[in-house]
Amino acid sequence: NAGVMQNPRHLVRRRGQEARLRCSPMKGHSHVYWYRQLPEEGLKFMVYLQKENIIDESGMPKERFSAEFPKEGPSILRIQQVVRGDSAAYFCASSGGTGKSPLHFGNGTRLTVT
Amino acid sequence: SQELEQSPQSLIVQEGKNLTINCTSSKTLYGLYWYKQKYGEGLIFLMMLQKGGEEKSHEKITAKLDEKKQQSSLHITASQPSHAGIYLCGADKNNNAGNMLTFGGGTRLMVKP
């Protein structure tokens, strides 16, 4: 009865490289949400996806960031040409999506850009 | 956009003492969620409140929603070291389906044995 699985737990990238963060939602969940937690800051919404669709990406930076949730496989948050300011903890959450239900969070991926 | 203000930002209490954390919204609350986060880990869901006046309890933690005041409180009775962590309140961004939550800045709780 696995919860939300994120990998890797820790990721180190040099400036200019690409970072790929993966998220497998809880079994039976088809709604995925990505959040970012910067050091000493709160949790900020980035993007909300359902299978093969981006529902709301109002929290995503306009450049370098993209997200997908394909029909098969995990959701991917992709950051191109990373900069030091991208260093943060990235959390994925999932829900069943039927009415109001709590989000279930993964343990996050901690991205460090050197 | 909706903003959630949590108070206090941090709290140190002696084991066995009671404490209250508040969460105030700048807009109408459609649903309010309380989570706990331990350092280096994800968020653990505690409770969800949807109706004004609603109150829920789990073990020694009680949460209330005052919809008119756009506020929720989390009360811990007889605190223990295991209660230490960061408590976050989250609110639904809108009243539509889906759960795009906006979170408060968190309250960091330390419990001294």
Side-chain angles (χ1 to χ4, degrees):
Chain A
N1 208 13
V4 178
M5 303 299 292
Q6 288 188 250
N7 67 81
R9 286 295 307 273
H10 300 275
L11 183 61
V12 180
R13 284 288 178 265
R14 291 198 184 99
R15 277 179 297 169
Q17 290 185 319
E18 178 180 287
R20 279 186 178 236
L21 288 62
R22 294 175 191 78
C23 169
S24 295
M26 276 182 75
K27 189 175 180 181
H29 284 185
S30 58
H31 297 239
V32 165
Y33 309 77
W34 285 93
Y35 284 81
R36 177 165 66 174
Q37 190 173 42
L38 289 162
E40 304 306 318
E41 289 190 22
L43 208 56
K44 303 293 183 190
F45 166 78
M46 297 181 76
V47 62
Y48 163 34
L49 310 106
Q50 293 179 25
K51 284 285 185 182
E52 298 185 282
N53 285 310
I54 295 175
I55 307 302
D56 188 310
E57 55 181 348
S58 57
M60 285 275 270
K62 293 285 184 278
E63 296 176 350
R64 302 187 297 108
F65 285 72
S66 62
E68 63 176 8
F69 189 16
K71 190 177 179 181
E72 301 290 338
S75 174
I76 306 286
L77 179 68
R78 183 181 175 208
I79 311 173
Q80 294 178 290
Q81 298 174 331
V82 296
V83 301
R84 288 221 172 104
D86 297 332
S87 296
Y90 292 84
F91 290 96
C92 170
S94 72
S95 75
T98 51
K100 296 298 183 188
S101 57
L103 300 184
H104 296 269
F105 281 82
N107 280 329
T109 293
R110 273 142 192 87
L111 172 66
T112 302
V113 180
T114 61
Chain B
S1 61
Q2 183 171 41
E3 289 188 3
L4 294 175
E5 191 78 30
Q6 284 188 239
S7 63
Q9 289 186 332
S10 63
L11 190 56
I12 303 173
V13 299
Q14 196 69 42
E15 182 177 358
K17 295 293 184 185
N18 303 337
L19 64 107
T20 300
I21 298 168
N22 293 303
C23 174
T24 303
S25 172
S26 61
K27 294 190 173 183
T28 302
L29 285 167
Y30 296 109
L32 194 289
Y33 305 76
W34 283 100
Y35 287 83
K36 179 184 174 185
Q37 184 181 25
K38 289 199 168 181
Y39 180 75
E41 298 179 15
L43 279 67
I44 300 167
F45 169 70
L46 295 176
M47 273 172 277
M48 175 174 78
L49 304 164
Q50 288 189 271
K51 299 175 186 175
E54 188 173 7
E55 180 176 321
K56 287 188 177 177
S57 293
H58 177 67
E59 296 180 345
K60 294 184 178 180
I61 301 175
T62 300
K64 300 179 187 179
L65 179 60
D66 183 337
E67 200 171 71
K68 289 181 182 176
K69 288 187 179 178
Q70 298 177 175
Q71 189 176 56
S72 177
S73 61
L74 186 84
H75 184 77
I76 299 177
T77 305
S79 58
Q80 299 169 357
S82 61
H83 287 128
I86 301 170
Y87 289 82
L88 293 146
C89 63
D92 283 314
K93 194 176 174 185
N94 53 49
N95 202 25
N96 301 328
N99 301 93
M100 293 172 290
L101 300 184
T102 298
F103 283 93
T107 295
R108 193 178 296 266
L109 172 64
M110 290 177 60
V111 180
K112 293 197 293 185

